[in-house]
């Protein structure tokens, strides 16, 4: 299927590893040039090299989007490196799990600092470029925003806020010609998930395959997702084949959330 992405410019935050890395490589595989950001220079350089090996341009910068002025600096670098922006994938950010009564104000502030306020500031800075090219904004939330749980009070709240913010910008996007959508991935094969699998193996004494099967059963999912699953959906959402998809919050979760 021709997706019409060849020559498009994408900015993917948190792209040194995990979902962000997979999305950056997926977009490059469909013909995009990619601006990479994260806080691990060596990992970013490796992703950039993999993109160039696909015959596409790549640039990388180490930046902490929690810092004042970081969003504006990043967008200026995109303009210097590529001259334009067609796709912004807001992926950076993680939140702390734990007992609500033990979580501190600092934990909450840190949870919102990057994954919510970092997203907000970057969208504000990048919006004129997206508007100019009638581009696409895709934010990565998480199923906690749709299915809140006691041990994930920060993440559930942040992910719900990301989805609500995306809805607001989708409303603005109808006037400005910017497509906006949000994706809630569930359990995706990343280092963070592996740590949870390993902890379950240690807790129960189960071998890895048994732990995986029981965890999937407990979450009510058909299997754990792969970063390629998220990348494939994002490349479609940002493509010329999905221009009527707007203001959606998409659950990519193997059946975890079964509500009408």
């Amino acid at each position: 299927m021709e997706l019409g992405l060849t020559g498009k410019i994408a900015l993917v935050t948190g792209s040194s590893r995990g979902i962000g890395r997979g999305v950056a490589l997926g977009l490059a595989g469909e013909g995009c040039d990619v601006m990479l950001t994260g806080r691990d220079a060596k990992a970013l350089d490796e992703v950039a090299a993999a993109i160039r090996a696909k015959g596409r341009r790549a640039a990388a910068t180490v930046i902490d989007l929690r810092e004042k002025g970081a969003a504006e600096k990043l967008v200026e670098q995109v303009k210097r490196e590529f001259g334009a922006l067609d796709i912004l994938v807001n992926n950076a950010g993680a939140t702390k799990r734990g007992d609500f009564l033990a979580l501190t104000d600092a934990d909450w502030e840190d949870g919102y600092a990057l994954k919510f306020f970092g997203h907000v500031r970057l969208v504000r800075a990048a919006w004129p470029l997206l508007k100019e090219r009638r581009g696409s904004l895709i934010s990565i939330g998480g199923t906690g925003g749709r299915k809140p749980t006691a041990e994930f009070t920060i993440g559930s709240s942040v992910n719900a806020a990301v989805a609500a913010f995306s809805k607001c910008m989708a409303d603005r996007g109808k006037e400005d010609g910017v497509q906006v959508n949000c994706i809630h991935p569930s359990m995706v094969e990343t280092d963070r998930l592996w740590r949870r699998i390993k902890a379950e193996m240690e807790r129960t004494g189960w071998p890895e395959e048994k732990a995986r099967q029981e965890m999937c059963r407990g979450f009510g999912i058909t299997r754990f997702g792969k970063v390629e699953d998220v990348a494939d959906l994002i490349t479609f959402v940002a493509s010329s084949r999905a221009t009527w998809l707007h203001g959606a919050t998409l659950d990519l979760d193997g059946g975890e959330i079964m509500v009408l």
Side-chain angles (χ1 to χ4, degrees):
M1 180 185 291
E2 173 54 51
L3 297 179
L5 289 173
T6 300
K8 299 290 186 181
I9 309 300
L11 165 58
V12 183
T13 67
S15 42
S16 60
R17 56 176 54 85
I19 288 175
R21 179 183 186 277
V23 170
L25 293 174
L27 288 167
E30 293 296 333
C32 291
D33 299 323
V34 187
M35 184 76 205
L36 307 165
T37 75
R39 287 178 280 178
D40 185 331
K42 183 175 183 294
L44 287 171
D45 287 344
E46 290 172 355
V47 181
I51 290 172
R52 293 180 189 120
K54 296 176 182 290
R56 303 311 310 179
R57 292 184 295 160
T61 185
V62 175
I63 198 165
D64 186 343
L65 288 168
R66 295 173 297 185
E67 295 178 356
K68 184 177 181 180
E72 292 79 8
K73 290 178 184 177
L74 177 57
V75 170
E76 284 302 316
Q77 186 163 355
V78 171
K79 288 194 283 189
R80 286 196 303 271
E81 296 283 354
F82 301 104
L85 181 65
D86 299 287
I87 302 163
L88 169 57
V89 181
N90 264 331
N91 166 73
T95 55
K96 186 175 181 179
R97 292 177 175 272
D99 179 0
F100 167 70
L101 297 177
L103 293 169
T104 65
D105 284 354
D107 293 329
W108 281 87
E109 289 165 3
D110 186 66
Y112 272 88
L114 179 56
K115 192 163 187 181
F116 183 72
F117 289 113
H119 287 198
V120 170
R121 287 189 288 267
L122 185 54
V123 169
R124 184 190 297 125
W127 192 262
L129 295 183
L130 294 174
K131 180 179 178 180
E132 182 179 340
R133 301 272 284 214
R134 300 187 70 82
S136 181
L137 165 64
I138 302 167
S139 291
I140 305 297
T143 50
R146 191 87 88 175
K147 184 182 176 182
T149 56
E151 75 279 3
F152 201 46
T153 48
I154 299 176
S156 296
S157 302
V158 171
N159 290 335
V162 168
F165 174 65
S166 297
K167 290 284 189 182
C168 295
M169 295 312 300
D171 197 30
R172 172 68 182 256
K174 288 185 288 186
E175 177 182 344
D176 288 353
V178 179
Q179 179 200 37
V180 183
N181 293 288
C182 178
I183 296 173
H184 281 331
S186 180
M187 300 294 175
V188 178
E189 295 271 8
T190 62
D191 291 342
R192 291 176 65 195
L193 177 61
W194 170 242
R195 288 193 292 271
R196 295 184 69 177
I197 294 170
K198 187 176 179 181
E200 188 68 3
M201 292 166 61
E202 292 171 352
R203 185 184 72 82
T204 62
W206 289 334
E208 180 180 341
E209 187 58 31
K210 173 71 169 176
R212 287 176 172 273
Q213 290 174 352
E214 292 301 321
M215 288 177 71
C216 285
R217 185 176 295 112
F219 289 121
I221 58 178
T222 55
R223 63 171 173 83
F224 291 127
K226 300 181 182 299
V227 294
E228 292 81 6
D229 294 318
V230 186
D232 287 346
L233 179 57
I234 286 179
T235 54
F236 175 74
V237 170
S239 78
S240 60
R241 307 302 293 265
T243 55
W244 204 41
L245 185 64
H246 183 76
T249 301
L250 305 172
D251 298 319
L252 185 63
D253 60 11
E256 181 177 357
I257 297 175
M258 300 293 287
V259 295
L260 293 176

